[in-house]
Amino acid sequence: GDLEMAEYVKATFEKVGITAVLDPQKVLLTYPVSSALELLDVSGKMVAKASLAEDTLDSDPTTHTWWRNHTFNGYSPSGEVTAPIVYANYGLPEDFAALEEAGVEVKGSIVLMRYGECFRGLKAMNAQKAGALASIIYSDPEEDGYAKGSVYPYGPWRPKSSVQRGSIQFISLCAGDPTRAYNPHGMDVEKLCGFSSKELIPQIPVLPISYGDALIF
């Protein structure tokens, strides 16, 4: 992990006579406790459930890890939402504008978007601005899956169960720890960024899924 790498870099510097010090800092970051994604019919009966897990491979021991079943987006808040699904393509402003023009109501829905064309944090921001209650982002094989070539472990492209994780912080507004807990300059996040911590991270739950799980929709 990061600590192991930091210790390696520190030791490497010291071997060549460079003084190095590790400076541990507390920063805001979210990790999941549990997650679920279910498709319900009009009566509320579950008709499909996403696995939210990646396949293990005997040929790759790194797939047999605790992280395999922790598919999440950093800075997503907790929440439980039941609402209609609205597909919003890449989640770009023009995609939401096209939905509005077509008379599709996004407000009060769960927005399904695909990775690509813009940063995942912008997708979350755009969905939130449009009034969505939650959003789901899936990896489209057209972008980085079998449409590009052989998938892992037979090639470099994303396999069916693979999930793209990552931060959904609104870094276009201000990058870095949204709480600025480390502030030797004495300035809080609002003075540095012009935004509060709450304005720099999504206020709706966001969940990444594989294109295998996206098939249930």
Side-chain angles (χ1 to χ4, degrees):
D2 292 341
L3 177 59
E4 183 179 349
M5 179 58 67
E7 290 173 339
Y8 168 78
V9 172
K10 178 176 181 292
T12 302
F13 280 166
E14 291 173 340
K15 282 182 181 178
V16 296
I18 300 175
T19 300
V21 177
L22 294 183
D23 185 16
Q25 298 296 328
K26 292 182 178 180
V27 297
L28 178 66
L29 187 57
T30 57
Y31 288 98
V33 175
S34 64
S35 57
L37 177 62
E38 300 172 345
L39 183 64
L40 310 179
D41 64 17
V42 292
S43 69
K45 179 182 177 182
M46 184 182 73
V47 295
K49 185 174 183 178
S51 66
L52 303 183
E54 295 173 317
D55 295 339
T56 58
L57 302 171
D58 291 337
S59 59
D60 184 353
T62 65
T63 63
H64 297 260
T65 69
W66 176 82
W67 289 104
R68 184 180 71 86
N69 290 320
H70 282 72
T71 52
F72 68 102
N73 286 131
Y75 296 114
S76 170
S78 298
E80 183 175 340
V81 177
T82 301
I85 288 281
V86 171
Y87 178 65
N89 196 24
Y90 289 110
L92 296 167
E94 50 264 41
D95 292 323
F96 287 101
L99 288 171
E100 183 178 7
E101 185 176 347
V104 177
E105 182 67 57
V106 174
K107 186 176 181 180
S109 73
I110 298 173
V111 173
L112 177 66
M113 302 170 283
R114 56 177 172 156
Y115 276 113
E117 295 296 318
C118 71
F119 175 58
R120 66 183 82 85
L122 289 172
K123 298 176 189 294
M125 179 191 289
N126 294 335
Q128 181 175 299
K129 284 181 177 179
L133 299 180
S135 63
I136 303 166
I137 313 175
Y138 73 96
S139 297
D140 189 338
E142 182 180 340
E143 296 292 328
D144 64 353
Y146 59 78
K148 296 291 187 179
S150 298
V151 301
Y152 189 78
Y154 306 105
W157 298 103
R158 187 181 300 277
K160 185 177 181 179
S161 70
S162 177
V163 179
Q164 182 189 142
R165 301 159 176 81
S167 166
I168 49 171
Q169 181 184 351
F170 300 160
I171 59 173
S172 58
L173 301 181
C174 188
D177 175 23
T179 65
R180 287 305 192 277
Y182 176 68
N183 63 339
H185 37 64
M187 298 175 66
D188 62 22
V189 65
E190 292 195 47
K191 289 182 179 178
L192 281 171
C193 299
F195 298 94
S196 67
S197 296
K198 185 176 180 180
E199 293 173 306
L200 296 176
I201 54 178
Q203 300 302 302
I204 61 172
V206 182
L207 185 67
I209 62 173
S210 65
Y211 59 79
D213 276 343
L215 291 173
I216 70 174
F217 299 108

